[in-house]
Amino acid sequence: MKEKDERWIPERDPSMGEHTQAGCENRRLEKICSKFLEGTGPEADVVISSRVRLARNIRDHLFPPLASNLQRKNILQLCREILQEEEERFSRFQFLELDSISGVFKQVLVEKHLISPLMARENVCSALCLREDETLGIMINEEDHIHIQCMLPGLQLEQAWQEASLLDDCLENQASYAFHEELGYLTACPTTVGTGLRASVMLHLPALVITRQINRILFALNKVGLVLQGIYGESTDFTGNLFQVSNQITLGQSEDEIWQNLYGVTRQLINQEKKAREHLLNEGRERLDDRSGRALGVMRYARVLGVQEVMQLISDVRLGLDLGLVRDISAGTLNKLLALTQPGCLQYLKGRELSAYEQDLERAAQVQKFLDC
Amino acid sequence: MKEKDERWIPERDPSMGEHTQAGCENRRLEKICSKFLEGTGPEADVVISSRVRLARNIRDHLFPPLASNLQRKNILQLCREILQEEEERFSRFQFLELDSISGVFKQVLVEKHLISPLMARENVCSALCLREDETLGIMINEEDHIHIQCMLPGLQLEQAWQEASLLDDCLENQASYAFHEELGYLTACPTTVGTGLRASVMLHLPALVITRQINRILFALNKVGLVLQGIYGESTDFTGNLFQVSNQITLGQSEDEIWQNLYGVTRQLINQEKKAREHLLNEGRERLDDRSGRALGVMRYARVLGVQEVMQLISDVRLGLDLGLVRDISAGTLNKLLALTQPGCLQYLKGRELSAYEQDLERAAQVQKFLDC
C-alpha cells in the first residue's frame, strides 16, 4: 500500500512554472478520466456502472457518528493495521487520509462516486483505501467503520458482489466485526442492518424519459423494494437522464437474493429502454438525429455551458450514438466528458477554485478541447 | 429586352435526367443567391438594403383593381409598347409574364422582394420587367399600372431614388401618366397619391431587440411619419430581427424630402443599434460569443430546421460576425442563407413542392451543405 501517492498531486503547486501548466493539466485530466470510463462492460449502452457496497463495523467500538475524534482516530489506526496484515493483497492500493486533501479534490472523489457526499463533508480521521484501477475501495470512518465498495463498468453486479465479498472475507480474517446472530451485521443506520449490502446500478434511460414512461417505472420499482434516485443520491433530480437503482432492504434476504433481484429488474429496465428507443426511431428517425445533432453542435460551439445543460447534451448525443445516428465520437469520450465537466473535476483540472460563471466558461472550453482531440 | 429567359428555367423539367440534378440545383442556387446578396454597400452591418418604389398609372385607363381582364391585358400591351420604344435602354432587362410561371417561382420572387405578395396572388396579365442585376425593375398591373422599383444593397437611398427617377423620366417620355395639378400622381390607393413614392430600408437590429429598446423606437417612428414592419410587410412579425422602415406619407412632401427624412432616421437607428451592440459587448462579451457560437453550432448540426428558427439563428451569427466574435463566415454567406432557406426558394431549389416537414429537413441539409462550401 502506497502512503504517498504521486498520482494525487496537489491542486495548486506554488513552485509550478507557467510552462508546466499544460503538462499538469494533462496529468490531472488522466486522473479524472480513469479507465473505468471507457464505456465498456456488458450492456454499456444502458448500464453505466454496477456497484456493491458492504457496511461493516468493528466490534466494541462506537459507530463513527457517535464516536469522538479520538475514537475515530483509533478506528482509523485499527483499520490501517488490519490492512497492513494483508500487505501483499493491498500492494496496489493507495491510502488517502481525507484530512490531508483539499475541498476541491474531495469533490472530485464524490463526483467519481469513490466517496460519499457525507464523507466529503464530515471527514475527521476518514480515509479512502483505493485500488489503482479505482474499481475496489474501502472507506474508513464514513457512516460505518468500514464501507467496502466495488464498482464496475456496465452490468456486472455478480462480479462486483464477488470482488467486494472476497475483500470482506479477507478483512474479516483480521478484524472482529460487530455481528448479531439474528440481525446479522450491525450498522450505524438501521436500514443497512443485516447483510449490510447495498447494490446499485447507474442507468442511462433517455428513451423512457422522452416517452414519459419513467414515472410509471419509478412507482413500480418502489413496490419491489427498489429505489430510483439521481446519480448523486438526489430523489428528484435526474439530470442527464441518469438514474441510480438500488435495493432498499438489507434484512431478511440473502446477499445473492439482493443482487439477483436488482439484476433481474435491471434486465427488465434495459429491455424497456431498448423498446422505447426502437419506438422513437420508428416514429421519427430525423427528430432523434436532429436532437443529438443539435446537442453535439451546441457542445462544439457554445462558450458558456452549465453543468445541468451539459449533462443533458451528453445524454442526447449518447442516445444518438447508441442508435447509430452519431458517428466520430465514442461512448468513452462522452463518459469522460460527463466526469470532467462536473464542478469539482473542472476546478481540479484548472488547479484553482472557480466561480460559477468561470466554471461555465471553462466547461465550454474543456468540452471543445476534448472533442477536438 | 429578352422575352424568353434562360435563367428562369422551369421548376421541373421532365426531360431532366437524374445525372443532371446537381447541375440544375447549382444553377437554381445561383439564381436565388443573386449578386445583390453579397453583403456589400454602405452600412451593410445594419442596413441590408434600400428600396425606392414609384407608383404610376396611364391616363384614362382604369386602375388594375377595377379593370377587367381585357383592360388589364390592354395595359400590359401598352406598357410593353412603351418599353419597346426604349429598346436599347431595356436591352439588359428580362420580361416575365406572371401567368406563365409556377406558384413556387412566384414565391421566390416575393421572397427576393422583386414582386409583392399581392402580385403573386392576383396576377392576371401582370408582368415583371427586371434588369439582369435584379436591382431595377418594373411591375406591371400590380395595384397600379406601373410600379418602378430600385433596390440596392446597404444604405443607398439617394442612389435608389435617382435610378428609379431616371427610369420614370424615360417612361414618362413615352406614356401619358395620370397626374393631377394639385394632388400629383394619381394612384389606386389613396395613401400613395402625390409623389407615388415609397422609400424603405431593410434593417438588422438584433441589439435593439436584445436590449428591449425596439418598442420605444417603433412608437417614435410613427410620430415622424414612418412605419416599421417585418420584411414581408407583416406588422408584428420581426423574425430574424429584421425590420423594414418606410414612409407613410406621399403627399405634401417633395420626393427629396421623403427619402432624406427616411435617410436621417435610418442614420439615427444605425447609431442606436451600434451603441446597443457596444453596450452588449461591454456587459458580457462571452454571452454574445456564446449566443452566436450556439447558433452556428445548431446550423451546422441540426437535421430539422424551421424557417423562423433559421432566421433567428442567422441573426445571432450575423451579430457575432459584425462584432468580430465569429470568423470563417461572411456576411454574403449569411445573406444568401437567409434567401435560400425561405420556403419558396427551397422548393424551387429542389425542383418540386415540399411538405412543411420536408422543407424543414431540406432546409437543414441545405444550410449544412452551404456552410461546408
Side-chain angles (χ1 to χ4, degrees):
Chain A
M1 190 165 54
K2 295 170 194 158
E3 278 295 314
K4 288 223 171 189
D5 175 22
E6 289 195 353
R7 288 178 66 231
W8 276 317
I9 52 171
E11 284 69 53
R12 179 182 259 167
D13 181 350
S15 70
M16 184 163 70
E18 270 304 304
H19 60 286
T20 63
Q21 181 72 37
C24 283
E25 214 174 294
N26 282 342
R27 283 176 64 199
R28 293 197 195 107
L29 185 63
E30 260 177 50
K31 206 149 92 191
I32 291 167
C33 301
S34 48
K35 211 174 153 48
F36 180 82
L37 297 169
E38 293 293 349
T40 54
E43 307 290 353
D45 53 347
V46 177
V47 187
I48 309 291
S49 60
S50 305
R51 180 157 55 150
V52 163
R53 197 206 66 190
L54 294 170
R56 300 289 185 257
N57 288 281
I58 314 286
R59 188 186 295 264
D60 301 330
H61 286 79
L62 279 176
F63 295 148
L66 296 175
S68 68
N69 285 358
L70 184 64
Q71 287 166 323
R72 288 175 72 108
K73 195 174 173 187
N74 287 339
I75 288 293
L76 180 60
Q77 185 52 32
L78 203 58
C79 289
R80 201 188 272 272
E81 284 162 17
I82 292 168
L83 299 177
Q84 276 162 352
E85 288 294 322
E86 298 275 344
E87 209 178 345
E88 199 173 336
R89 175 179 295 271
F90 290 107
S91 65
R92 304 182 67 184
F93 280 63
Q94 291 132 9
F95 197 90
L96 185 71
E97 291 195 32
L98 264 69
D99 299 339
S100 70
I101 61 171
S102 73
V104 164
F105 195 66
K106 281 187 199 110
Q107 208 178 336
V108 170
L109 295 176
V110 171
E111 289 166 2
K112 295 183 79 175
H113 302 277
L114 296 174
I115 64 171
S116 63
L118 172 77
M119 197 164 157
R121 280 196 310 274
E122 296 167 23
N123 48 58
V124 177
C125 300
S126 293
L128 171 66
C129 180
L130 185 67
R131 195 165 64 187
E132 253 177 23
D133 67 357
E134 298 187 355
T135 62
L136 193 62
I138 303 164
M139 287 175 240
I140 297 165
N141 278 332
E142 205 253 17
E143 197 182 41
D144 297 291
H145 295 148
I146 292 170
H147 277 179
I148 297 166
Q149 175 175 291
C150 180
M151 185 163 65
L152 297 172
L155 181 57
Q156 301 195 65
L157 279 169
E158 183 170 10
Q159 294 82 340
W161 154 243
Q162 283 171 347
E163 281 225 53
S165 181
L166 260 175
L167 188 58
D168 183 41
D169 292 346
C170 151
L171 296 185
E172 203 161 11
N173 285 341
Q174 307 297 332
S176 181
Y177 281 163
F179 186 83
H180 184 280
E181 291 269 316
E182 277 175 28
L183 293 175
Y185 292 103
L186 298 177
T187 57
C189 179
T191 63
T192 46
V193 169
T195 56
L197 171 68
R198 183 82 74 211
S200 66
V201 283
M202 200 192 295
L203 306 174
H204 183 227
L205 304 175
L208 290 176
V209 172
I210 296 171
T211 57
R212 295 170 199 270
Q213 295 178 65
I214 199 72
N215 286 334
R216 182 176 55 73
I217 286 166
L218 203 144
F219 186 73
L221 286 176
N222 277 321
K223 293 210 161 181
V224 294
L226 296 175
V227 60
L228 193 87
Q229 294 173 296
I231 56 167
Y232 294 114
E234 320 80 352
S235 58
T236 53
D237 176 15
F238 306 123
T239 308
N241 302 319
L242 293 169
F243 298 84
Q244 189 174 249
V245 184
S246 58
N247 62 309
Q248 265 178 317
I249 303 164
T250 56
L251 195 66
Q253 285 190 325
S254 74
E255 285 87 347
D256 282 337
E257 278 170 339
I258 290 174
W259 74 257
Q260 280 165 2
N261 177 32
L262 178 61
Y263 179 86
V265 171
T266 303
R267 278 255 160 248
Q268 286 179 41
L269 286 173
I270 294 169
N271 285 342
Q272 289 180 42
E273 169 66 19
K274 287 190 173 171
K275 264 187 205 156
R277 291 182 185 183
E278 200 65 38
H279 172 77
L280 286 174
L281 258 190
N282 293 337
E283 285 292 299
R285 188 183 186 85
E286 300 99 347
R287 289 273 172 216
L288 274 185
D289 199 8
D290 185 56
R291 189 186 181 102
S292 47
R294 280 167 185 257
L296 194 56
V298 171
M299 283 169 72
R300 283 199 193 277
Y301 284 86
R303 297 286 171 271
V304 186
L305 268 180
V307 63
Q308 304 235 331
E309 184 186 9
V310 89
M311 288 172 77
Q312 182 59 49
L313 294 172
I314 291 171
S315 171
D316 287 346
V317 176
R318 179 67 195 257
L319 179 59
L321 176 72
D322 289 339
L323 293 176
L325 302 171
V326 170
R327 282 165 201 89
D328 309 323
I329 199 165
S330 72
T333 298
L334 292 174
N335 283 351
K336 287 170 187 171
L337 272 176
L338 196 60
L340 81 87
T341 53
Q342 296 300 314
C345 288
L346 259 191
Q347 294 177 82
Y348 172 70
L349 195 61
K350 292 310 290 180
R352 64 183 182 89
E353 286 196 16
L354 301 170
S355 71
Y357 187 58
E358 286 174 327
Q359 283 176 38
D360 289 352
L361 291 175
E362 189 57 35
R363 184 173 293 114
Q366 289 292 343
V367 167
Q368 264 122 70
K369 199 168 144 187
F370 203 78
L371 286 177
D372 281 346
C373 282
Chain B
M1 190 166 54
K2 294 170 194 158
E3 279 293 317
K4 288 228 171 187
D5 175 23
E6 289 195 354
R7 289 178 67 230
W8 275 318
I9 51 171
E11 285 70 51
R12 180 179 260 166
D13 180 350
S15 70
M16 185 163 72
E18 270 304 303
H19 59 289
T20 63
Q21 182 71 37
C24 284
E25 216 173 292
N26 282 342
R27 282 175 64 199
R28 293 196 195 110
L29 185 64
E30 259 177 52
K31 205 149 89 192
I32 291 167
C33 301
S34 48
K35 211 173 153 49
F36 181 82
L37 298 169
E38 292 294 348
T40 55
E43 308 291 353
D45 52 348
V46 177
V47 187
I48 309 291
S49 61
S50 304
R51 180 158 54 149
V52 162
R53 197 207 65 191
L54 294 170
R56 300 291 184 253
N57 288 282
I58 314 287
R59 188 186 294 263
D60 301 330
H61 286 81
L62 280 176
F63 295 147
L66 295 176
S68 68
N69 285 358
L70 184 62
Q71 288 166 321
R72 289 175 72 108
K73 197 175 172 187
N74 286 340
I75 288 293
L76 180 62
Q77 185 51 34
L78 203 57
C79 291
R80 200 188 273 273
E81 283 162 16
I82 292 167
L83 299 176
Q84 274 161 354
E85 288 294 322
E86 298 276 342
E87 208 177 349
E88 200 173 333
R89 175 180 296 271
F90 290 107
S91 66
R92 302 181 69 184
F93 280 63
Q94 291 132 10
F95 196 90
L96 186 70
E97 291 195 31
L98 264 70
D99 299 339
S100 71
I101 62 171
S102 73
V104 164
F105 196 65
K106 281 187 199 109
Q107 207 178 337
V108 171
L109 295 175
V110 171
E111 289 165 3
K112 295 183 81 177
H113 302 277
L114 296 174
I115 65 171
S116 63
L118 172 78
M119 196 163 158
R121 279 196 309 275
E122 295 166 25
N123 48 58
V124 177
C125 300
S126 294
L128 171 67
C129 179
L130 186 68
R131 194 165 64 188
E132 253 176 24
D133 67 357
E134 298 187 356
T135 63
L136 192 62
I138 304 164
M139 286 174 243
I140 297 165
N141 277 331
E142 206 252 16
E143 197 182 38
D144 297 292
H145 295 149
I146 292 171
H147 276 179
I148 296 167
Q149 174 174 291
C150 179
M151 185 164 64
L152 297 172
L155 181 57
Q156 302 195 65
L157 278 170
E158 185 171 9
Q159 293 82 339
W161 154 242
Q162 284 171 347
E163 280 226 52
S165 181
L166 260 176
L167 189 59
D168 183 39
D169 293 346
C170 152
L171 295 185
E172 203 160 11
N173 285 340
Q174 307 300 331
S176 180
Y177 280 165
F179 187 81
H180 184 278
E181 289 269 318
E182 277 175 29
L183 293 173
Y185 292 103
L186 299 178
T187 56
C189 180
T191 64
T192 46
V193 169
T195 57
L197 172 68
R198 182 82 72 212
S200 66
V201 284
M202 201 192 295
L203 307 172
H204 184 226
L205 305 174
L208 290 177
V209 172
I210 295 172
T211 58
R212 296 171 197 270
Q213 296 177 66
I214 199 72
N215 287 335
R216 182 178 55 72
I217 285 165
L218 202 144
F219 185 72
L221 286 177
N222 278 321
K223 293 210 163 183
V224 293
L226 296 175
V227 60
L228 194 86
Q229 293 173 297
I231 54 166
Y232 294 114
E234 320 78 352
S235 58
T236 53
D237 177 15
F238 306 124
T239 307
N241 302 317
L242 292 169
F243 298 85
Q244 189 174 250
V245 184
S246 57
N247 63 309
Q248 263 177 320
I249 303 164
T250 56
L251 195 65
Q253 285 190 326
S254 74
E255 284 88 345
D256 281 337
E257 279 170 338
I258 291 175
W259 75 256
Q260 280 166 2
N261 177 32
L262 178 61
Y263 181 86
V265 171
T266 303
R267 278 255 161 248
Q268 287 179 40
L269 286 173
I270 294 170
N271 284 342
Q272 290 181 41
E273 168 67 19
K274 285 188 174 171
K275 265 187 203 157
R277 290 181 186 184
E278 202 63 39
H279 171 78
L280 286 174
L281 257 190
N282 293 336
E283 285 292 297
R285 188 185 186 82
E286 300 99 346
R287 289 273 173 216
L288 273 185
D289 199 8
D290 184 55
R291 188 186 182 99
S292 46
R294 281 168 186 257
L296 193 55
V298 171
M299 283 168 72
R300 282 199 193 278
Y301 285 87
R303 298 286 172 271
V304 186
L305 269 179
V307 63
Q308 305 237 330
E309 185 186 9
V310 88
M311 288 172 78
Q312 182 59 49
L313 295 172
I314 290 170
S315 171
D316 287 346
V317 176
R318 180 67 195 257
L319 179 59
L321 175 73
D322 289 338
L323 293 175
L325 301 170
V326 170
R327 280 165 203 90
D328 309 324
I329 199 164
S330 73
T333 298
L334 293 174
N335 283 351
K336 286 170 188 169
L337 272 176
L338 196 60
L340 84 86
T341 52
Q342 297 300 315
C345 289
L346 258 191
Q347 294 175 80
Y348 173 68
L349 195 62
K350 292 311 288 180
R352 64 184 181 88
E353 287 196 16
L354 302 170
S355 71
Y357 187 58
E358 284 173 329
Q359 284 176 38
D360 289 352
L361 293 174
E362 190 57 36
R363 183 172 293 113
Q366 289 292 342
V367 167
Q368 265 122 70
K369 200 168 143 187
F370 203 77
L371 286 176
D372 282 346
C373 281

